[in-house]
Amino acid sequence: MNRYPSEFKYSKNNEWVKKEDGVYSVGITDYAQKEIGDISYIKLPKVGDIIKKDASLCELESAKSVSDVKMPLNGKVFAINKHLLDNPEDINKDPYGLWIVKIEIFDENDYENLLTSTEKIV
Amino acid sequence: MKNTIMYNIHKESGAVFSDLGGYKMPLFYKSQKLEHLNVVNNVGLFDMSNKSILNLKGDDSTNLINSSFSRDISTLNIGQLIYGLFLNKSNFVIDNAIVYKLNNFDYLMVVTPSMADIIINFFKTFNYREYIIYDYTDLVIKFDLQGPKSLALLEKIYGSDLFDSFPYYTFKGDFRHKGILISRSGYTGEFGFELFLDKSQAVTLWRILLKEGEEFNILPCGLSARDSLILGSDFPLSQRDIGNWEFCNNPWTFAVDIPVKSKSSYTYAYVGYDSQNLHENRGIVLLKDKVIGEVLICLVEFSITRYLNNIYSITSAELPSDNNIEGLIAGYIKVDRELLIGAHLVLSDKKKFVEVEVIRNIDLRPNRTVKKSIKSMRLMYE
C-alpha cells in the first residue's frame, strides 16, 4: 500500500483529509491502523458536533489500547460512516478507502495548511 | 427477602443464595472461579432479575432524565442505549443507569436493585409533571448471556438475521406485550447480550438457553462471578466503586459529558502480583507507610496473569499454553491524591499487606471481546 497517497492531505498526527466536490472526508493513515492494531470498536461523534482542531474526533479500540483520533481541522460533523459501527475492523483492511466522518470546515486555509503526501513522508 | 420466579430453578441447580437488593439471588452454583473463567472462554448465563426496570414516558421524559443524568440523551436514536449516572447537585452519585430509547419520549431505565423508589422520588424534586413511570421490576426478567459464544447460541435459537446489524450499545425488540428486548451493553467486559422478557416466559427461556447452550459449554453463573468480571469491564459497580461521594478523577470519564475537576478524591484501578487476597475485601491504601485512602474493592480477577512484566488474559495469544493462571487480585481504590499509572502501593486490612500497582482499567483484562463487531465474532467461531 502507498504509505501516503498523493490525493490526500495529512495532519501532523495520523489523519488524512480528502477534499472532493467541496466535501471533506476524514480517515486514518495506514501507519495509524498498524499502530493501533486490529480495531474492534469505534466510538463515533454525533452528526452536528462542532470539534476543534486536535480535539478528540473519535475513539478506536483494539486489544492493545483505546486510541483517540484527532480532528485535523476546525469543523462540524455532517456525516458519520455507520458501516464502521458493525465493521470497525474494515479500517485495518482499507484505511484510505474508508472515511470515518465527513465535515464542513470553517476556513479553507486550514485545509491548505495540512501536509501534502511529500511533506508527510519527510 | 423476596424470591424471583427463578428461585426454584436456581435451587435445583445447586445455587448458593444471598440477599441482593431485597431478592434472594444466586451467588454461585459450583464456583465463582469456574463461572468467571467460563464467561471469558465460552458463555455464561446470569439471572439479573433483581435489577430495577423502569419505563419512563411522556412529553417531559427527555428533559426529566437530562435534568440529572450525566449524559445528554436528547441525541439518542431509537434503538440506542447509553450508560450514565444520576447525580445530585453536589455531583454525588445517586445511581448508575443504562437508558434505552424505546421511542420518542419513551425510555427504559435499568438501575441498581432496590433503587427504583429512590430514583422515582428523586425525579419528583424536579419541576416536570408531564410523564409517567411504570415499574416493571417484578413483571420482567433480565437475563445476561455473556461470553464469546453467546452470539452463536442466540443465532441457533433466533436465527442469524436478527443479529446482522447489531452494534455495541444498541438494542432490538420490546418486552412489553409479551415480546423480548435484546441489547448489547456489556457489563462483564466480554461480548454478550442482555435479554428482557415477561416473567411468564422466563423459566422456559432459561431452560432453552441451558439446553441449547450445552454444545457451547454454557454454565449458569452467579453474582460473585459478575462482581469479579466487572473489574475487567469499562463499568464501575454502583454502591461499591462509585457511590455517595463526588464523581470525579476516576477511570469512567466516558460516563459523563462534562467531567468535573475537583481535588476531593481520586479513584484508580489496581492490580496485584498474585491471587493472595486481603482477608476482607476492603481496607486501607498505603503509600510508603502513609495512609492515603481506602480500598473500595479487592477481588481476584481469575482470568488474568503476569508474564514477562505484562498482564495477559487467558485468551491472549501471546501467553504460553502451559502458563498456569491463578488470577491476580484487582479492584479500585479511592485516595486523597493524584497517582501515576504504575505507582506501587500497599493495601492492608490490618491482618495482611499486599503489594499492588496502579493500572488503567482498560488494561486490567486485555483482549476483552465486549465491543467486538458481530462480523468478527462470527469469524472467531466459523
Side-chain angles (χ1 to χ4, degrees):
Chain A
M1 184 181 300
N2 188 337
R3 280 178 66 205
Y4 298 107
S6 56
E7 59 264 43
F8 300 91
K9 295 193 90 158
Y10 300 90
S11 68
K12 63 176 178 358
N13 301 307
N14 268 292
E15 299 82 34
W16 56 255
V17 182
K18 189 174 184 183
K19 181 181 173 183
E20 220 166 16
D21 302 325
V23 172
Y24 299 85
S25 304
V26 179
I28 64 168
T29 63
D30 183 46
Y31 175 83
Q33 67 83 11
K34 282 177 182 155
E35 283 294 295
I36 291 168
D38 292 339
I39 297 166
S40 57
Y41 177 71
I42 181 167
K43 187 178 171 193
L44 290 167
K46 297 191 272 288
V47 170
D49 278 352
I50 293 173
I51 305 176
K52 285 186 183 172
K53 182 172 178 292
D54 294 334
S56 175
L57 170 62
C58 70
E59 278 181 8
L60 295 173
E61 186 167 322
S62 69
K64 282 197 273 185
S65 63
V66 176
S67 302
D68 247 351
V69 175
K70 304 290 187 196
M71 182 68 154
L73 304 161
N74 292 323
K76 183 177 176 181
V77 176
F78 78 84
I80 55 175
N81 192 342
K82 289 185 182 175
H83 168 84
L84 296 177
L85 291 173
D86 278 314
N87 305 279
E89 61 280 337
D90 284 356
I91 296 178
N92 295 112
K93 295 175 197 160
D94 190 10
Y96 293 111
L98 280 174
W99 55 272
I100 297 175
V101 296
K102 292 187 194 262
I103 60 174
E104 300 165 6
I105 68 171
F106 304 132
D107 188 345
E108 179 67 24
N109 287 329
D110 286 347
Y111 173 75
E112 294 306 328
N113 289 334
L114 290 172
L115 302 170
T116 63
S117 165
T118 312
E119 287 165 343
K120 187 66 182 169
I121 292 168
V122 167
Chain B
M1 259 199 285
K2 292 195 267 189
N3 291 342
T4 71
I5 200 168
M6 298 296 301
Y7 175 77
N8 287 330
I9 303 292
H10 296 320
K11 204 167 163 198
E12 279 166 23
S13 300
V16 171
F17 292 90
S18 182
D19 175 13
L20 290 154
Y23 292 87
K24 257 190 226 165
M25 299 298 292
L27 266 186
F28 60 89
Y29 296 81
K30 291 200 173 130
S31 94
Q32 178 189 0
K33 179 176 178 179
L34 188 69
E35 291 159 24
H36 179 125
L37 292 175
N38 203 61
V39 167
V40 177
N41 280 321
N42 300 306
V43 56
L45 180 58
F46 296 81
D47 176 8
M48 301 298 294
S49 307
N50 60 334
K51 284 282 202 182
S52 296
I53 299 172
L54 303 173
N55 177 207
L56 170 65
K57 296 175 76 158
D59 290 344
D60 280 342
S61 54
T62 307
N63 290 335
L64 180 61
I65 293 175
N66 270 351
S67 56
S68 61
F69 202 55
S70 59
R71 313 286 299 281
D72 179 7
I73 63 159
S74 57
T75 55
L76 269 188
N77 293 321
I78 294 169
Q80 280 184 328
L81 56 98
I82 191 167
Y83 173 87
L85 309 161
F86 287 108
L87 301 166
N88 66 18
K89 288 188 175 124
S90 305
N91 207 41
F92 285 26
V93 176
I94 294 172
D95 199 15
N96 61 1
I98 297 178
V99 176
Y100 300 63
K101 186 167 182 178
L102 298 168
N103 214 324
N104 292 324
F105 308 110
D106 186 3
Y107 299 95
L108 180 69
M109 299 183 297
V110 180
V111 298
T112 300
S114 76
M115 289 299 289
D117 286 343
I118 292 172
I119 295 292
I120 290 169
N121 287 332
F122 178 60
F123 279 167
K124 288 177 184 167
T125 65
F126 296 96
N127 198 21
Y128 295 107
R129 296 292 176 260
E130 295 301 318
Y131 68 91
I132 188 162
I133 298 179
Y134 299 98
D135 186 349
Y136 279 95
T137 305
D138 288 334
L139 302 173
V140 166
I141 290 295
K142 177 177 181 279
F143 294 155
D144 290 2
L145 193 68
Q146 302 279 297
K149 296 179 184 173
S150 56
L151 175 64
L153 172 53
L154 287 181
E155 287 189 321
K156 182 181 174 186
I157 295 171
Y158 293 107
S160 58
D161 288 355
L162 177 64
F163 300 94
D164 276 343
S165 176
F166 213 137
Y168 183 53
Y169 275 150
T170 64
F171 69 94
K172 297 185 180 187
D174 195 332
F175 56 76
R176 299 173 293 190
H177 315 298
K178 302 279 172 99
I180 184 167
L181 185 154
I182 302 179
S183 65
R184 283 188 66 187
S185 66
Y187 220 54
T188 61
E190 297 306 321
F191 186 88
F193 299 88
E194 301 81 45
L195 311 170
F196 297 77
L197 65 159
D198 188 273
K199 71 175 184 184
S200 63
Q201 302 166 58
V203 171
T204 303
L205 180 61
W206 182 270
R207 288 200 161 121
I208 288 172
L209 287 167
L210 288 182
K211 178 85 184 127
E212 299 299 330
E214 280 172 5
E215 69 173 278
F216 305 111
N217 299 309
I218 192 170
L219 283 181
C221 300
L223 295 178
S224 292
R226 192 279 312 262
D227 284 356
S228 51
L229 283 161
I230 267 186
L231 293 179
S233 78
D234 280 342
F235 300 102
L237 190 60
S238 189
Q239 321 303 320
R240 183 191 80 181
D241 310 327
I242 55 173
N244 197 24
W245 60 87
E246 193 173 9
F247 188 84
C248 60
N249 309 321
N250 58 45
W252 306 293
T253 50
F254 66 89
V256 291
D257 286 338
I258 305 170
V260 161
K261 288 196 191 302
S262 170
K263 291 186 180 175
S264 57
S265 67
Y266 300 80
T267 298
Y268 295 98
Y270 68 84
V271 66
Y273 294 86
D274 56 35
S275 58
Q276 298 300 308
N277 206 343
L278 296 175
H279 288 296
E280 310 288 330
N281 55 19
R282 303 287 295 248
I284 54 173
V285 182
L286 297 161
L287 176 64
K288 294 180 186 165
D289 298 328
K290 183 176 175 178
V291 177
I292 63 165
E294 62 175 304
V295 179
L296 293 171
I297 189 66
C298 185
L299 294 174
V300 178
E301 217 293 9
F302 294 103
S303 59
I304 58 174
T305 190
R306 286 183 184 269
Y307 176 69
L308 300 176
N309 295 325
N310 291 321
I311 292 176
Y312 292 100
S313 148
I314 49 173
T315 61
S316 299
E318 300 92 335
L319 204 58
S321 55
D322 59 354
N323 192 295
N324 185 26
I325 294 186
E326 296 290 331
L328 299 171
I329 60 159
Y332 292 98
I333 53 174
K334 182 158 71 82
V335 296
D336 60 7
R337 65 198 63 190
E338 222 172 326
L339 298 172
L340 292 174
I341 298 298
H344 288 270
L345 304 167
V346 171
L347 310 185
S348 175
D349 57 4
K350 295 190 182 163
K351 293 174 194 166
K352 208 167 166 191
F353 295 82
V354 292
E355 240 187 276
V356 300
E357 74 167 315
V358 173
I359 194 172
R360 294 187 313 163
N361 69 333
I362 189 187
D363 293 328
L364 213 153
R365 186 198 313 146
N367 225 29
R368 298 175 304 158
T369 54
V370 60
K371 295 179 184 174
K372 281 191 179 287
S373 68
I374 295 287
K375 189 161 119 182
S376 63
M377 295 311 289
R378 281 174 176 163
L379 285 171
M380 206 185 275
Y381 291 101
E382 252 179 3

